[in-house]
């Protein structure tokens, strides 16, 4: 509650709030919650099937209830925040369902926060960069046997491509 910098909550950071979603509201600094279906189900006191059935709307409800940024991982991934449009990402692939892939996503988001992006923007861009990196890794290595490190290795190339405006000759700043 007293932390004065944005924080990404993932894995056990989320599990610590099982059934206590309301306690994530009112923090000094913004939080970015990055649950997968099981973690979201534990947070809201539901089951993964019910979360999947509400994949497109539940992140917005959780964001409204807590005042935090929510990135529900999966297919599609969804970012929601109060007062912001929900953003879907239909990129990514099943090969990304590997141990540590969420840690890569968290690292990308933290890197973007460290560069001064707003938490919502860092979550949206982080989601896109992570998914594109996963798709690059799959294209190069195939879906079977992909590791989190393969996704991480593709991140710099994705960032470079996006910074060039995806080949359109215009630089972007973040």
């Amino acid at each position: 509650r007293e932390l004065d910098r944005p924080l990404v909550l993932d894995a056990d950071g989320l599990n610590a709030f099982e059934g206590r979603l309301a306690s994530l509201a009112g923090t000094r600094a913004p939080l970015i919650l990055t649950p997968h279906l099981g973690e979201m189900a534990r947070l809201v006191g539901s089951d993964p099937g019910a979360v999947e059935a509400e994949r497109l709307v539940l992140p917005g409800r959780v964001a409204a209830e807590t005042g935090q940024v929510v990135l529900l991982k999966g297919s599609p991934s969804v970012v929601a925040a109060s007062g912001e449009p929900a953003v879907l990402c239909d990129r990514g692939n099943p090969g990304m369902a590997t141990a540590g892939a969420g840690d890569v996503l968290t690292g990308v988001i933290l890197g973007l926060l460290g560069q001064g992006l707003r938490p919502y923007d860092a979550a949206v861009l982080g989601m896109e960069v992570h998914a594109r990196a996963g798709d690059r890794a799959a294209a190069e290595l195939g879906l079977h046997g992909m590791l989190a490190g393969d996704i991480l290795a593709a991140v710099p190339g994705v960032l470079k491509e996006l910074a060039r405006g995806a080949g359109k000759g215009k630089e972007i700043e973040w």
Side-chain angles (χ1 to χ4, degrees):
R1 289 199 156 299
E2 298 305 315
L3 188 68
D4 62 353
R5 291 171 180 79
L7 176 71
V8 179
L9 281 180
D10 189 40
D12 283 340
L14 292 166
N15 291 332
F17 293 93
E18 181 175 343
R20 300 183 311 121
L21 183 65
S23 65
L24 293 171
T27 58
R28 244 178 104 186
L31 304 177
I32 300 172
L33 314 178
T34 60
H36 57 55
L37 289 177
E39 292 161 342
M40 181 66 95
R42 288 189 289 279
L43 275 175
V44 300
S46 186
D47 64 84
V51 171
E52 180 60 35
E54 294 191 293
R55 170 176 289 283
L56 301 181
V57 296
L58 185 58
R61 286 203 308 262
V62 171
E65 182 178 332
T66 63
Q68 309 299 352
V69 177
V70 178
L71 191 169
L72 179 58
K73 299 181 283 195
S75 181
S77 291
V78 182
V79 173
S82 293
E84 300 285 357
V87 177
L88 306 179
C89 180
D90 61 357
R91 297 179 192 271
N93 60 76
M96 297 174 71
T98 185
D103 297 326
V104 174
L105 173 63
T106 296
V108 170
I109 293 170
L110 288 169
L112 294 168
L113 286 170
Q115 293 179 57
L117 267 69
R118 296 180 317 131
Y120 168 80
D121 297 331
V124 170
L125 183 56
M127 172 178 69
E128 180 71 16
V129 167
H130 184 255
R132 286 181 184 222
D135 286 346
R136 277 187 179 208
E140 182 178 325
L141 304 168
L143 294 177
H144 305 290
M146 265 178 56
L147 302 172
D150 301 326
I151 301 167
L152 178 61
V155 166
V158 170
L159 289 171
K160 184 177 179 182
E161 176 183 288
L162 290 174
R164 280 197 208 135
K168 294 181 180 119
K170 59 181 181 182
E171 294 287 324
I172 60 170
E173 289 187 28
W174 53 69

